[in-house]
Amino acid sequence: MAEQQLNSGGARSAWAVTFSVWYAMFMREAISRTMADRMGWFWMIAEPVAFTSVMIGIRSFIRGDRMIVGADFIPWMIVGLMGFFLIREGMMRGLGAITANQALFAYRQVQPIDPVLVRNFLEGMLRTFVFMLFIVGAQMLDMELFPDDALQAMAGWLSLWALGLGLGLIVSVLGTLVAEVSIVVRMINMPLLILSGVIFPLNHLPHWALEYLMLNPIVHGLESLRHAFFDGYHVVHGTSMTYFWLWGFSTIALGLILHLRFRDKLKAK
């Protein structure tokens, strides 16, 4: 009996401590995001709905639906916007994650990478929930927004989530060490939205311009996600998920290396 008590009261494993830290930080972030403001849940849903409605209005005015082959332009745009928001918010939430949790680094169990991972996971879950609401709402309005290939859609969604994590890991370090990086990252949000083919299809651009735009990995991820939703959709020529995954794995690896290299500096900031 004494031996059992000693074993049960022994030190926890490193993974058990890590999961306890993540759980505590997750609950802290979740309460802060959803409960700190009485309208938190409303704006979480109303913001993407309002932005999507504005974009649809602009596209309807210029008759953009005629530019897309194999998909209705409203569902096409919703899928693109949801996928882009998943990447963008994963990156943007990483910017202030370390600074906002600076006081927690007094505990040796908490590392600078922990709030970045927790924020990305929480943001991904919230974006997935909002996307599911869009899908359910579209079905109720007799709008085709259910994926034709559900497995490919889930794989594409998780791939976009992973790229957002990688970018979040990188900018969380660079933005904390160099304040100007945060300004640049915020400035490129809108140009990136346009250059990623979220609002306007890229198929009609001249070949010389498309060659440069296809260097952007987000284009490949969004086109693959759209093809999973609309089987007859003609993706942009040159779309490659291998290229996208190389970017995803590379950004995650680089982000982890930066966190290991500058861990002490990030704690001391």
Side-chain angles (χ1 to χ4, degrees):
M1 178 66 69
E3 185 179 353
Q4 290 179 354
Q5 290 178 352
L6 180 62
N7 290 336
S8 62
R12 292 186 299 170
S13 68
W15 276 111
V17 173
T18 300
F19 280 119
S20 296
V21 170
W22 286 349
Y23 177 76
M25 298 187 73
F26 176 82
M27 295 304 297
R28 181 173 180 264
E29 289 287 341
I31 292 173
S32 175
R33 287 290 307 278
T34 59
M35 302 298 181
D37 185 354
R38 288 181 300 177
M39 302 288 287
W41 278 105
F42 171 77
W43 288 116
M44 196 179 303
I45 300 171
E47 181 184 4
V49 170
F51 189 85
T52 303
S53 300
V54 171
M55 291 297 103
I56 289 173
I58 295 174
R59 285 290 307 277
S60 299
F61 180 75
I62 62 174
R63 302 194 175 196
D65 54 321
R66 297 181 180 178
M67 302 178 183
I68 303 170
V69 178
D72 294 333
F73 92 99
I74 294 179
W76 178 90
M77 179 178 287
I78 291 175
V79 172
L81 285 170
M82 293 297 104
F84 180 80
F85 287 157
L86 182 65
I87 296 176
R88 187 194 69 178
E89 293 305 314
M91 178 175 64
M92 296 304 297
R93 293 294 171 184
L95 272 181
I98 296 176
T99 304
N101 294 274
Q102 199 72 41
L104 298 179
F105 301 149
Y107 302 95
R108 63 183 180 84
Q109 297 91 340
V110 182
Q111 301 298 325
I113 195 174
D114 293 330
V116 182
L117 296 175
V118 169
R119 279 195 173 191
N120 182 270
F121 178 75
L122 175 61
E123 192 61 39
M125 293 297 292
L126 293 175
R127 291 292 161 182
T128 302
F129 174 71
V130 172
F131 195 16
M132 293 297 294
L133 289 181
F134 268 91
I135 293 175
V136 172
Q139 293 300 116
M140 294 175 64
L141 296 173
D142 292 328
M143 187 185 301
E144 292 297 328
L145 191 55
F146 196 82
D148 292 330
D149 189 335
L151 290 178
Q152 183 183 344
M154 286 189 288
W157 186 255
L158 292 175
S159 299
L160 294 170
W161 194 341
L163 180 60
L165 171 61
L167 294 174
L169 288 171
I170 293 173
V171 300
S172 65
V173 176
L174 300 182
T176 303
L177 299 177
V178 184
E180 289 75 14
V181 171
S182 301
I183 300 174
V184 173
V185 171
R186 291 187 175 92
M187 286 176 58
I188 65 174
N189 270 328
M190 185 55 68
L192 198 60
L193 176 71
I194 298 173
L195 297 177
S196 298
V198 178
I199 303 173
F200 299 99
L202 302 180
N203 277 315
H204 300 275
L205 293 176
H207 179 71
W208 64 266
L210 199 56
E211 282 187 330
Y212 291 103
L213 292 178
M214 291 304 288
L215 296 175
N216 177 7
I218 300 177
V219 175
H220 299 259
L222 295 183
E223 288 295 294
S224 177
L225 183 65
R226 282 165 169 160
H227 185 262
F229 273 81
F230 318 111
D231 190 50
Y233 173 61
H234 293 182
V235 299
V236 177
H237 179 71
T239 298
S240 170
M241 283 305 291
T242 302
Y243 177 77
F244 180 85
W245 288 328
L246 286 175
W247 266 90
F249 292 140
S250 299
T251 53
I252 291 175
L254 178 58
L256 294 175
I257 291 171
L258 288 174
H259 270 273
L260 286 173
R261 172 64 179 82
F262 297 105
R263 178 177 57 188
D264 295 334
K265 284 188 177 181
L266 294 173
K267 283 188 172 184
K269 270 287 181 177

